[in-house]
Amino acid sequence: MLSNSFSTTLSDLVSTDIDIETGVAVITMNYMPVNSLSLEMFQALSASIKSIEQDERLQALVLQSGNPSIFSAGLDLREMADPDPDRLNAFWTSFQQLYLDLYGSRLASIAAIEGHAPAAGCMLALSCDYRIMSETEDKHAPTIGLNETQFGIVAPPFLAQQLIDTIGRRPAELSLSLGTLYSPDDAMDIGLVDEVVSRDVVRQRAQETASQWARIPSVARVASKMLIRQDAIASLKQNREKDLEQFVSFCLDERTQKNLQAYLVKLTSRKKK
Ligand code: CO8
């Protein structure tokens, strides 16, 4: 079983490098081993995005992982298993906030996805404007997608909507119902990612792409982005309280707790095999 202790130093969790010449900032997630998204991780990512946005010389960001085989393992499941209610509230509110900050950012955002990106890890990628994924050693390894149903939980509406808006309604319906994780090539076939490149060039390719996006006149680029995203953003803003209540009640439900605990045990015992 995973212990419920969390790293609290925000600057250790996320590092930011900026290049004024290209107008590109690189955010690297460093919460080892798997960049699970804890309350502090959400806060660190939001703080990093906000500070980059304040610098008018910067027009684009690359989001990448310090772990070359895992982009992010999604929500930190320890936050949801047998949770402290106040922390659970703050956790989900920060998740919503990160979605709003990244999905609605004025910055062009490029995800450099090296390896696994399940569930909220996939949401980080979906919140970016462009997704570049690295090939995996096993070409068929299931790596990216919204897999929540596989362990008895449900993707929140704002996350489901992102998938619908990215891959289309019917593919998203199938994907959400089955909790499908896709290999990089399959993810590209359904439009979940935009490019698949070899592992050694993914970061370089992401930075080049970010530099290209940074050169597009920003007023037009941001207005175009908002044409597509504003309804989903407005919907979460209007429904934040309801979304929070639904999450908390779903999470605290006995059956959800049972499913989560079983999944956590499976994760840990899988490692021991
Ligand atoms: N949260 C917390 N800890 C995790 C998580 C996680 N999401 N994923 C892995 N860990 C832990 C493991 O338990 C292990 O801990 P320990 O060393 O103490 O045993 C450590 O991280 C390393 O994990 P692995 O040994 O499994 O590492 P691998 O490199 O073999 O595999 C994977 C990496 C593929 C990422 C694998 O760990 C995995 O599949 N993790 C689970 C991913 C997942 O299913 N995430 C979904 C989270 S839920 C979510 O994001 C959205 C939910 C929204 C709705 C909620 C409504 C209630």
Side-chain angles (χ1 to χ4, degrees), residues 1-2 33-34 36-37 69-70 72-78 80 92 95 116 118-121 147-148 151 153-156 159 247 250-251 256 260 263-264 267-268 270-271:
M1 176 67 51
L2 300 162
V34 294
S36 53
L37 298 167
S69 59
I70 300 173
S72 163
L75 293 189
D76 196 313
L77 294 160
R78 296 168 299 177
M80 297 187 286
W92 195 257
F95 181 30
H116 299 280
N147 62 332
E148 284 85 346
F151 48 98
I153 61 178
V154 183
L159 187 41
F247 165 72
F250 185 76
C251 190
T256 310
L260 274 171
Y263 187 62
L264 280 168
L267 257 185
T268 311
R270 188 175 66 97
K271 194 181 167 190

Side-chain angles (χ1 to χ4, degrees), residues 82-266:
D82 193 18
D84 167 73
D86 288 342
R87 187 171 167 104
L88 190 66
N89 270 277
F91 168 69
W92 195 257
T93 304
S94 303
F95 181 30
Q96 295 171 330
Q97 190 57 48
L98 177 62
Y99 162 88
L100 295 171
D101 292 339
L102 185 56
Y103 199 52
S105 175
R106 73 162 180 84
L107 300 159
S109 48
I110 313 298
I113 312 160
E114 295 173 277
H116 299 280
C122 180
M123 169 283 214
L124 288 180
L126 285 170
S127 297
C128 290
D129 292 292
Y130 196 78
R131 289 164 280 286
I132 302 174
M133 190 161 197
S134 63
E135 289 166 347
T136 42
E137 249 164 63
D138 170 2
K139 237 178 140 16
H140 304 289
T143 309
I144 184 167
L146 300 185
N147 62 332
E148 284 85 346
T149 46
Q150 285 201 20
F151 48 98
I153 61 178
V154 183
F158 60 93
L159 187 41
Q161 191 60 47
Q162 270 188 323
L163 191 69
I164 294 167
D165 290 345
T166 307
I167 66 172
R169 201 169 178 83
R170 180 59 184 154
E173 186 177 17
L174 288 172
S175 187
L176 288 164
S177 303
L178 300 171
T180 312
L181 287 175
Y182 300 91
S183 68
D185 284 348
D186 288 347
M188 183 144 155
D189 285 348
I190 59 158
L192 185 55
V193 300
D194 299 298
E195 283 183 42
V196 177
V197 298
S198 66
R199 296 171 80 105
D200 49 335
V201 299
V202 64
R203 290 178 178 209
Q204 183 198 336
R205 178 74 195 125
Q207 290 199 25
E208 286 164 5
T209 308
S211 305
Q212 283 165 7
W213 282 66
R215 292 195 294 272
I216 307 281
S218 63
V219 174
R221 178 182 55 70
V222 175
S224 302
K225 174 173 179 166
M226 285 311 147
L227 279 178
I228 303 290
R229 299 187 176 192
Q230 65 196 358
D231 289 350
I233 290 169
S235 167
L236 179 61
K237 282 184 176 165
Q238 275 159 21
N239 293 303
R240 270 186 96 157
E241 274 306 314
K242 192 169 149 223
D243 182 67
L244 173 64
E245 275 167 32
Q246 277 173 349
F247 165 72
V248 170
S249 108
F250 185 76
C251 190
L252 296 179
D253 185 282
E254 232 174 82
R255 287 161 299 181
T256 310
Q257 283 300 314
K258 221 170 130 194
N259 288 334
L260 274 171
Q261 297 286 357
Y263 187 62
L264 280 168
V265 169
K266 202 169 128 198

Side-chain angles (χ1 to χ4, degrees), residues 23-38:
V24 174
V26 177
I27 298 178
T28 307
M29 297 179 283
N30 288 316
Y31 188 24
M32 297 304 145
V34 294
N35 281 327
S36 53
L37 298 167
S38 63

